[in-house]
Amino acid sequence: MADSSGKFGSAEFVVIANRLPVDRVVAPDGSTTWRTSPGGLVTALEPVMRRKGGAWIGWHGAPDEKLRPFTHQGLKLVPVHLSESEVVEYYEGFSNGTLWPLYHDVIAPPAFHREWWDAYVTVNRRFAERAAKVAAEGAIVWVQDYQLQLVPAMLRELRPDVRIGFFLHIPFPPTELFQQLPWRREILEGLLGADLVGFQLNGAAGNFIRLVRQRVGHKTHRDAVYLPDGRVVRANAYPISIDAAGFEEMARDPAVVARAAEIRESLGNPRTIVLGIDRLDYTKGLRQRIRAFGELITEGAVHPDDAVFVQVATPSRERVDQYRMLRDEIDRLVGRLNGDVGRIGQPPITYLHASYPREEMAALYRAADVMVVTPLRDGMNLVAKEYVACRYDDRGSLVLSEFAGAAGELKQAYLVNPYDINGMKQAMLDAIKAGPKEQARRMKALRKQVMENDIDQWANDFLSELAPATHTKRTRPSREQ
Ligand code: G6P
């Protein structure tokens, strides 16, 4: 991807994320396949890259493998390798053992280790160097998420000609928590290498600006940071979304409709199916949700003949201690409830520890009468938006945590505080009992919000702020297509 002089690459638009949109999976017989990577970041960005073209730089999910750039289903992918010790120290360690819990309200205690930090610096530099090689002169480079917060400044040093955007997909913590980080100043300075720093919510952008003023000492005014060299960095909120029309189209597919009916059938055609779909993560409030549903059943407010709860938990970061402990805890909770009140062929909770293709998710969304999304803290939560996009029939109810970024937009959901088990039980009960009219009233309003603020809108808003002159016009597919 280098030009003939070898000085610059040829990609006018570059996305850098810790993960490529696909993971390389090696089967026991040695054959390899590619599987969609987990998480909301990939769901959101993949359609953007399909429409805009350009190169996607990221790790392919396996340690100790150096791969050459390749094209996969029309996407230009540029793999970055991580050694086994970098997976442990940069990915599982600093990214997911330090930053992830620190940025999510310290729900789990963050660990601070100097060798994790050193690996984070090394790997961030590798990503920045790769981007510097791939980007064309004056390209737009868009760095994603908490794993790569040093890349903007490192890249600016190597390639002052490119426009650099950064978007944080997860919450940005309040100053009191961020200050615990021994490398707080380095992280802030890393982010300030960007021209535009994007967050999910206004509060997060405000936290960042305040920290930059207090900790780095730069002058700030509203959304702008004034650097001593005259450069201005902006920080704003851009609530991320999904390819809403794409999800709706998938949900309308006759094969998906048939699969939804099959799912209902195999659950015994209960009156109500309650559904949760999450990465298996301690931020998602799974424990609280299962307890709330369990109490509704054991106290008799909901009869096990009438309602079943399906929980899909996608495996995630399985070698990190806190994730291992969570898995054991959820296994125990589900096992106890099913053991206590289940009958032959009728467990109140169907628990699936697996990842499924998007079509299966769409069928589940279509089959579910009540969707419960109850994280203790979440940057946005795209599952909530996916459910709404799939309910073109204006049916179904969404129970949503106030602590998901999506609550700011999805106000007609049944909003809950996931720490308040009684409040959550009441909201679940209200949602289970809602009649078709009430469902339609809420769902219509939710759909208006989700269908009108899709991923194209998000990318357009961010990119036109980052590079107004070069940005191409929005291409929004019509819903009738
Ligand atoms: C969240 C993060 C992403 C991450 C995803 C999956 O959505 O914001 O950056 O890729 O979780 O987590 P994983 O550790 O499997 O990449």
Side-chain angles (χ1 to χ4, degrees), residues 30 33 41 72 112 135 157 176 195 200 235 239-240 262 272 318 335 341 358 379 386 400 422 451 463-466 473:
T33 47
L41 183 153
H72 179 79
F112 302 110
E157 231 182 282
E176 294 76 7
D195 297 291
Q200 301 280 21
I240 202 167
E262 198 177 282
T272 309
E318 288 182 284
V341 290
R358 288 195 186 129
E386 288 170 15
L400 178 63
N422 282 347
M451 303 314 287
L463 293 172
S464 51
E465 179 83 34
L466 175 63
K473 273 196 82 179

Side-chain angles (χ1 to χ4, degrees), residues 107-108 274 278 280-297 309 311 326 329-330 333-334 337 349 372-377 399 401 403 416-428:
I107 294 168
V274 181
D278 308 81
L280 185 53
D281 195 297
Y282 52 81
T283 58
K284 301 291 183 185
L286 290 161
R287 192 188 317 130
Q288 289 79 351
R289 185 189 307 167
I290 293 168
R291 275 190 60 195
F293 184 77
E295 287 185 18
L296 287 176
I297 297 273
F309 181 21
Q311 175 65 54
L326 175 72
E329 197 182 342
I330 300 299
L333 259 179
V334 172
L337 184 72
I349 302 194
V372 274
V373 181
T374 56
L376 304 175
R377 178 60 72 195
V399 177
S401 164
F403 304 127
V416 293
N417 169 1
Y419 292 95
D420 170 11
I421 304 280
N422 282 347
M424 200 147 60
K425 281 161 69 181
Q426 188 57 52
M428 282 164 99

Side-chain angles (χ1 to χ4, degrees), residues 177 302 367 421 430 436 473:
L177 293 180
V302 173
I421 304 280
D430 291 346
K473 273 196 82 179

Side-chain angles (χ1 to χ4, degrees), residues 137-173:
E137 187 168 15
I140 294 172
V141 182
W142 198 357
V143 186
Q144 311 290 325
D145 230 359
Y146 61 100
Q147 303 93 340
L148 301 175
Q149 292 172 100
L150 304 178
V151 169
M154 290 172 167
L155 178 61
R156 178 165 297 280
E157 231 182 282
L158 296 167
R159 291 289 305 272
D161 59 296
V162 299
R163 282 299 277 179
I164 304 172
F166 178 90
F167 185 77
L168 186 70
H169 292 251
I170 68 173
F172 191 75

Side-chain angles (χ1 to χ4, degrees), residues 17-20 23 37-42 59 91-92 95-96 100 104 144-147 168-171 200 279 281 284 315-318 323 378-379 382:
N18 174 57
R19 274 183 186 278
L20 287 176
D23 272 353
S37 308
L41 183 153
V42 166
W59 173 50
Y91 169 68
E92 295 171 344
S95 297
N96 292 310
W100 180 267
H104 286 89
Q144 311 290 325
D145 230 359
Y146 61 100
Q147 303 93 340
L168 186 70
H169 292 251
I170 68 173
Q200 301 280 21
R279 267 187 320 101
D281 195 297
K284 301 291 183 185
S316 185
R317 307 173 193 167
E318 288 182 284
Y323 289 76
D378 210 332
L382 295 181

